Amino acid sequence: MSSDPARSKARPKTRRRLREWRGHSITAGFVLLWLIGSLAIYRDARQMIVDTEAKIRKEMSLETRAMAQTLAGMLERTYLTIRTVSLLPAVRAAVPHNRANTDEDVVEQGYFSDRDTTIIQQLYNHIAADIDVSEIYLVYDGFDPEQGQVPFLMFDEVLLERIGLAKEAEPTHDADEPEEYEAAEYMEYVQQLDHLRRHAPLLPVEAPNGIAAVTSALLRTCDNSQYTSLANGDERDSHGLLLSVPVYDLSSKQFKGLVTAVLRANVLEAALLGWPRLPITELDKRLLAQRHTDLSTAPAEYVLENRETGDRIMDRRSASLPRFLGGLEQPAIHLEQTLELPYSSAWHLHRYKSTAHLDSAIAPIQRDMWQRLGLLSLLLAGLGLAVERVFAVQRKSTRTLTRMANYDALTGLPNRRLVAEHLSHALDRQQPGNSQYGVLMIDLDDFKEVNDTLGHQIGDRLLIEVSQRFVHSLRTSDQLFQLHNEAAPADEHSAMVGRLGGDEFLVLLPNQPGLEQILGIAERLQASLLEPIDLGQDQVYVHASIGIAVHPEHGSDGPLLLRSADTAMYLAKRQGRGQTVVFQQDLDEKSRQRLQLLTDLHSALTQKQFVLHYQPELNLASGRIDCVEALIRWQHPTLGLIYPADFITLLEQSALILEVGQWVLETACRQLKAWQDAGSGIEHMCVNVSLRQLTQPGFAETLQSTIRRAGISPGNLSLELTESMLMQHPEANIRLLHELRKTGVKIALDDFGTGYSSFSYLRQLPLDVLKIDRSFVIDTATEQGQAICQTLAALAQRLGLKVIAEGVETTEQFFNMSEVGSDWMQGYLISRPLAAERTEQLARSFDWQAFKTDNGLHGHSPDWAPRHPSSATQPS
């Protein structure tokens, strides 16, 4: 019993110790929880910092490679241009006579022909318009500037024109004009001639690919001192480099001289900034303002270095780049990319990122970390809420990263990765049955023209509008999976619209009853593009090429199905704008054939495989064949005669259409002149012109030169342009046509009625002739078709235009089109396209009365005779 009081005394003490232990345990627990939470927050922030740094480095690497490719392209195109000049036979065969002074004219003295000078002038104009090259010089060995000699040929007209425009925009006084500095530039030519004479004395066996090039250090060039002669000029804008290639004698193949291009340093500096040019003059500032160039952007982080000369070109506004290069400051990131050039590996592109810039990108993450730590410290009692916040932030970051990885940033549509994953999962779960899984590969036609003409910003707005139309078109009657909600699971039973990149889209159509329903959806997608897209000041008509593939007929898995759809889409593009093609097993073979044709096309013109046939056009007013249309044919050495439908699209895609189109124009004009000299009744020639020719800078001047050399009257030549081609950018094309009309040629609108042009645009087009499409001529067998042709002819007459009916193949069509008011007839009823000799024979021997008798035209109208005698001399 004596122990009971002791026990009673021990119990409170034990309870006190227990409470103390419990308090310490709670405190320790809170501390432990704070440590665990703090560690989790720190690790999360650290991982986000690592991911951010990796992302920045990856983006910098991609941008640096792209910039290196851009700069390499500029230098390579300049090299290829002067290399082309150096290989011209006239340059290699000319007497190596450098001019004694600037007054000496080697063309007038017979050392060089005007025609060869024009060729080099055109090459200079082309590269100067592309890369802003200042001048191209031709200097022969033995050049002695100390004796007052000047280069054999100098081409600087584009530069002088820009100087003149700059002075008009900001008039200057004579005091503002600095002296020209030619000594350093001319002495550099002497050194380069000596270098090439010693190191490249003979034309290499692997020419032209093995032709050497030499690059000067940066020096003050005379053209730059002129260009910066305004009072606010900058000394740095007068520096440039000389890129030269050797000239070898045509007979002995020994070194003879050099061709050089003067490239200003500020042109390369503008490329580093992504600007069209630097704002040196008031004219430059106006042009940059018109192009909406933002001049307030942060300084560029690039440095272009030539390791052979030690020269460096960079953004002059940057204060950090000189510090990096001088070793006064260490960059946080430094990337280097070698410019891949065919003649040198000395050019390197450096990209720097300062520590301050990187810290500014990481600062929000660090601030967020400290805020969460502070909140955790102050609200230990609300630990659960703090933990939930951490998890919420993590979930939000995960969703953001998921969206960045799975969705297109411009349109919000699923990107290529998510679409491919969705398709793969859907096909894995596809049950055998009566339903089909359709894949539509969509590519916008001529989207590059929109980007090149209106700019990438307008192109982005167009892509957004097109994607919205596609989505809306599917929503009207198809169950469209709402992929913009990342929380929703992917539904393999719903349609999906995705953007693969550029102007390519993909539509997935699960559970379709058959191909007919899939084609119907494709038609709806095409119909959604019929209305023009309003892009502010411009309205653009968009067409799309659609390739369709169906599972399992055209592919058992996702990659194979996508490849089949892609093959069908490319076939659709070759058939023209706005076409839809379903994949067939023989399309792969056609793709290989197309690749072979594309390869053969590059040598077809030089090997003289192209020929022209001429389709006669019958003048109903005179009963004579007085006009023909020139049609190109390809006489392939193994495949025989190939018609335009099989290779014109390839010419367009490869840009060979410019050379071939010019050849067609020159050949047709010469043939017309030969017929006229022989006293033939063929008075007029029609030539088809592509949009790429029409929009080529200086096309009107080239056309005038071609007509003048051929010796024909401009009024005897008609240029045929399709309605759908002109309606792509109607306002710009109207301006181009007005320039062409000034040359005196006629303008004919081909395939009229098929291009969806509005009457307001048709009224503004400076036309002479409307050619009614063959599809309407065939339809004249019906009352409705006859009424349509009558309406088209009446419209042409109201506009003061002549009418040509195309594709007339039967007597009935001939009679019907003459009744509606056609002025000329063209088609197999009159004649197929013929070689030049047979065409002229047909024109001479054509008997109007015999033609009517042979084709039973008297039976339709006994008193019918040629109409409108006064129009007999009007060309088509």
Side-chain angles (χ1 to χ4, degrees):
M1 292 183 63
S2 62
S3 63
D4 291 341
R7 288 178 183 172
S8 61
K9 292 179 180 179
R11 286 172 185 168
K13 187 182 292 185
T14 303
R15 283 195 293 269
R16 281 196 308 270
R17 292 176 179 175
L18 184 60
R19 284 196 298 268
E20 291 176 359
W21 178 83
R22 187 181 300 153
H24 290 307
S25 298
I26 294 174
T27 302
F30 273 101
V31 171
L32 180 60
L33 290 174
W34 183 87
L35 290 174
I36 293 174
S38 298
L39 180 60
I41 292 173
Y42 173 78
R43 292 183 62 185
D44 179 62
R46 185 60 189 168
Q47 184 60 46
M48 293 177 68
I49 290 173
V50 171
D51 293 343
T52 300
E53 293 179 352
K55 181 180 177 182
I56 291 174
R57 183 177 291 273
K58 182 178 180 181
E59 291 176 350
M60 287 179 59
S61 178
L62 293 174
E63 293 169 356
T64 303
R65 284 200 295 270
M67 178 60 71
Q69 291 173 356
T70 298
L71 295 169
M74 295 173 61
L75 295 172
E76 183 173 359
R77 292 195 297 276
T78 304
Y79 165 72
L80 293 177
T81 298
I82 59 176
R83 192 184 71 180
T84 300
V85 174
S86 73
L87 293 174
L88 293 175
V91 171
R92 297 178 61 191
V95 177
H97 172 82
N98 292 304
R99 295 186 293 164
N101 51 61
T102 55
D103 296 329
E104 185 177 348
D105 192 320
V106 296
V107 176
E108 292 182 356
Q109 294 178 351
Y111 293 112
F112 212 71
S113 72
D114 183 65
R115 174 180 175 275
D116 295 319
T117 306
T118 302
I119 293 174
I120 303 178
Q121 180 70 53
Q122 291 172 343
L123 291 170
Y124 164 68
N125 291 342
H126 176 76
I127 191 64
D130 178 24
I131 304 179
D132 219 0
V133 168
S134 299
E135 298 174 323
I136 289 182
Y137 287 170
L138 173 57
V139 185
Y140 286 114
D141 200 13
F143 179 57
D144 189 358
E146 294 182 355
Q147 297 298 324
Q149 289 187 5
V150 296
F152 183 77
L153 287 176
M154 303 192 314
F155 297 89
D156 58 358
E157 287 78 359
V158 174
L159 170 71
L160 295 178
E161 180 182 356
R162 291 173 182 163
I163 294 172
L165 293 175
K167 291 181 179 180
E168 291 178 7
E170 187 178 7
T172 61
H173 301 288
D174 292 339
D176 297 325
E177 307 284 347
E179 297 181 0
E180 294 186 5
Y181 291 85
E182 298 178 345
E185 184 175 337
Y186 284 179
M187 287 308 298
E188 177 65 24
Y189 295 145
V190 174
Q191 295 176 12
Q192 289 186 356
L193 286 168
D194 180 66
H195 175 83
L196 292 172
R197 186 188 315 111
R198 287 185 289 108
H199 296 283
L202 292 174
L203 178 69
V205 176
E206 64 271 20
N209 295 328
I211 289 184
V214 58
T215 305
S216 73
L218 287 178
L219 66 148
R220 187 167 186 178
T221 57
C222 60
D223 62 301
N224 289 313
S225 63
Q226 294 169 2
Y227 190 71
T228 59
S229 60
L230 300 178
N232 59 352
D234 192 314
E235 178 70 19
R236 286 170 291 192
D237 293 316
S238 67
H239 288 83
L241 58 88
L242 311 179
L243 176 60
S244 305
V245 298
V247 175
Y248 297 98
D249 186 76
L250 189 61
S251 299
S252 66
K253 300 183 180 179
Q254 293 184 342
F255 173 74
K256 188 174 184 179
L258 61 81
V259 177
T260 188
V262 182
L263 184 62
R264 295 195 303 277
N266 56 31
V267 172
L268 297 173
E269 183 179 350
L272 294 175
L273 292 166
W275 295 352
R277 60 177 64 180
L278 286 185
I280 300 171
T281 66
E282 288 299 321
L283 178 62
D284 293 334
K285 297 175 182 178
R286 295 177 188 175
L287 292 175
L288 292 173
Q290 293 173 0
R291 299 185 182 185
H292 306 289
T293 302
D294 185 6
L295 301 181
S296 62
T297 56
E301 302 168 330
Y302 296 103
V303 175
L304 180 62
E305 177 188 26
N306 188 319
R307 292 190 173 174
E308 291 181 353
T309 63
D311 292 321
R312 291 168 174 168
I313 299 173
M314 68 189 78
D315 187 352
R316 65 187 64 176
R317 302 173 302 159
S318 176
S320 58
L321 289 177
R323 296 181 61 82
F324 294 151
L325 297 174
L328 301 177
E329 181 181 345
Q330 291 298 320
I333 300 176
H334 174 209
L335 303 177
E336 183 177 353
Q337 183 73 36
T338 303
L339 271 61
E340 300 294 337
L341 295 171
Y343 61 88
S344 173
S345 59
W347 288 100
H348 292 258
L349 182 65
H350 299 267
R351 176 79 179 275
Y352 295 92
K353 182 75 69 175
S354 67
T355 303
H357 189 102
L358 190 61
D359 290 343
S360 66
I362 298 174
I365 302 175
Q366 294 175 330
R367 287 196 299 269
D368 182 68
M369 180 189 70
W370 288 113
Q371 289 172 0
R372 286 189 283 166
L373 285 174
L375 182 63
L376 183 64
S377 301
L378 294 174
L379 301 176
L380 284 175
L383 184 59
L385 295 176
V387 172
E388 178 61 26
R389 172 176 169 78
V390 171
F391 287 132
V393 171
Q394 291 177 339
R395 287 193 296 269
K396 182 180 178 180
S397 300
T398 300
R399 286 196 300 269
T400 301
L401 293 174
T402 300
R403 181 172 183 81
M404 293 174 61
N406 294 333
Y407 294 88
D408 176 50
L410 178 65
T411 63
L413 295 176
N415 62 15
R416 180 185 294 271
R417 194 200 69 81
L418 184 57
V419 169
E421 180 180 319
H422 183 81
L423 176 61
S424 178
H425 290 168
L427 294 182
D428 289 342
R429 292 168 174 79
Q430 183 80 358
Q431 297 294 329
N434 297 327
S435 65
Q436 293 182 321
Y437 197 106
V439 174
L440 275 60
M441 186 77 70
I442 305 174
D443 186 90
L444 302 185
D445 299 324
D446 301 325
F447 177 72
K448 183 178 183 300
E449 300 294 336
V450 176
N451 264 349
D452 293 344
T453 305
L454 304 179
H456 291 279
Q457 292 182 346
I458 298 298
D460 289 346
R461 290 172 55 189
L462 184 144
L463 289 174
I464 293 172
E465 174 64 22
V466 168
S467 65
Q468 291 174 350
R469 291 191 183 188
F470 285 166
V471 170
H472 179 74
S473 177
L474 285 181
R475 281 177 180 164
T476 55
S477 60
D478 298 290
Q479 183 183 3
L480 181 67
F481 176 52
Q482 298 296 316
L483 284 166
H484 296 76
N485 180 11
E486 299 87 7
D491 183 1
E492 286 96 5
H493 301 291
S494 300
M496 175 189 287
V497 180
R499 182 188 177 205
L500 302 185
D503 58 345
E504 285 191 340
F505 296 84
L506 190 71
V507 176
L508 305 182
L509 300 172
N511 299 327
Q512 298 299 315
L515 182 59
E516 182 178 353
Q517 285 72 21
I518 297 175
L519 286 171
I521 295 174
E523 290 178 3
R524 284 212 314 273
L525 294 173
Q526 294 280 25
S528 69
L529 302 178
L530 292 179
E531 293 295 326
I533 295 179
D534 190 355
L535 299 174
Q537 297 180 351
D538 299 283
Q539 279 192 339
V540 177
Y541 285 88
V542 180
H543 302 86
S545 298
I546 301 179
I548 298 177
V550 178
H551 176 273
E553 290 85 349
H554 303 151
S556 58
D557 55 23
L560 187 57
L561 201 60
L562 290 175
R563 191 181 73 179
S564 298
D566 191 59
T567 301
M569 182 269 290
Y570 275 105
L571 180 61
K573 291 188 74 69
R574 294 199 297 272
Q575 294 181 358
R577 290 188 296 274
Q579 300 297 314
T580 299
V581 170
V582 179
F583 177 79
Q584 299 175 4
Q585 295 300 329
D586 61 345
L587 290 185
D588 281 342
E589 178 61 29
K590 291 181 179 179
S591 297
R592 287 191 290 269
Q593 293 176 358
R594 173 179 175 273
L595 180 60
Q596 184 61 47
L597 284 180
L598 183 60
T599 302
D600 295 344
L601 268 175
H602 285 79
S603 60
L605 184 61
T606 57
Q607 296 181 5
K608 299 181 179 180
Q609 295 175 2
F610 290 119
V611 296
L612 289 186
H613 287 182
Y614 304 89
Q615 186 163 32
E617 296 179 359
L618 176 60
N619 189 332
L620 298 186
S622 64
R624 296 186 302 110
I625 292 176
D626 60 358
C627 179
V628 296
E629 178 182 0
L631 301 171
I632 190 171
R633 302 290 188 264
W634 182 9
Q635 189 64 52
H636 194 279
T638 59
L639 301 178
L641 194 64
I642 303 178
Y643 288 88
D646 296 324
F647 65 86
I648 286 296
T649 303
L650 298 178
L651 287 175
E652 292 277 3
Q653 294 174 353
S654 64
L656 292 172
I657 191 66
L658 300 178
E659 298 180 44
V660 176
Q662 180 62 24
W663 175 85
V664 170
L665 192 61
E666 293 177 351
T667 304
C669 290
R670 289 197 302 267
Q671 182 60 61
L672 179 60
K673 175 62 175 175
W675 282 335
Q676 291 176 349
D677 292 344
S680 172
I682 301 176
E683 303 173 357
H684 313 291
M685 177 70 71
C686 301
V687 179
N688 293 279
V689 177
S690 74
L691 181 60
R692 299 191 75 165
Q693 285 180 272
L694 182 66
T695 57
Q696 188 73 5
F699 177 70
E701 291 78 5
T702 302
L703 176 64
Q704 285 181 309
S705 176
T706 301
I707 294 173
R708 185 168 52 253
R709 290 196 304 270
I712 65 173
S713 171
N716 293 123
L717 178 64
S718 292
L719 300 184
E720 295 192 1
L721 304 107
T722 63
E723 180 185 6
S724 56
M725 179 182 83
L726 294 178
M727 287 305 103
Q728 292 184 36
H729 307 294
E731 291 84 0
N733 290 333
I734 288 172
R735 292 192 295 268
L736 290 174
L737 291 185
H738 277 292
E739 292 183 12
L740 287 181
R741 284 291 298 275
K742 295 178 183 178
T743 66
V745 300
K746 304 295 184 181
I747 305 296
L749 186 60
D750 200 4
D751 299 336
F752 178 60
T754 64
Y756 307 105
S757 60
S758 66
F759 288 159
S760 62
Y761 283 130
L762 185 62
R763 179 173 51 83
Q764 298 176 51
L765 289 172
L767 301 174
D768 300 281
V769 177
L770 289 184
K771 301 190 75 173
I772 297 179
D773 188 67
R774 175 177 177 270
S775 60
F776 292 101
V777 174
I778 294 174
D779 205 29
T780 54
T782 65
E783 293 184 3
Q784 183 181 14
Q786 184 77 355
I788 291 175
C789 289
Q790 288 175 344
T791 302
L792 296 178
L795 174 63
Q797 293 172 0
R798 289 290 299 272
L799 295 175
L801 308 178
K802 295 298 180 181
V803 176
I804 297 178
E806 294 185 293
V808 177
E809 299 179 354
T810 66
T811 301
E812 195 71 26
Q813 293 171 2
F814 188 100
F815 180 76
N816 291 338
M817 291 310 298
S818 89
E819 286 296 308
V820 303
S822 295
D823 299 287
W824 275 266
M825 295 285 189
Q826 177 182 359
Y828 283 4
L829 183 66
I830 293 106
S831 174
R832 293 175 176 268
L834 304 172
E837 298 79 6
R838 294 185 59 193
T839 303
E840 201 276 337
Q841 293 173 5
L842 177 64
R844 287 183 180 275
S845 62
F846 184 80
D847 188 326
W848 173 235
Q849 295 300 329
F851 176 80
K852 290 192 295 183
T853 300
D854 294 342
N855 291 283
L857 294 174
H858 293 290
H860 285 282
S861 179
D863 300 326
W864 186 61
R867 302 172 295 102
H868 314 305
S870 62
S871 67
T873 60
Q874 291 292 331
S876 65

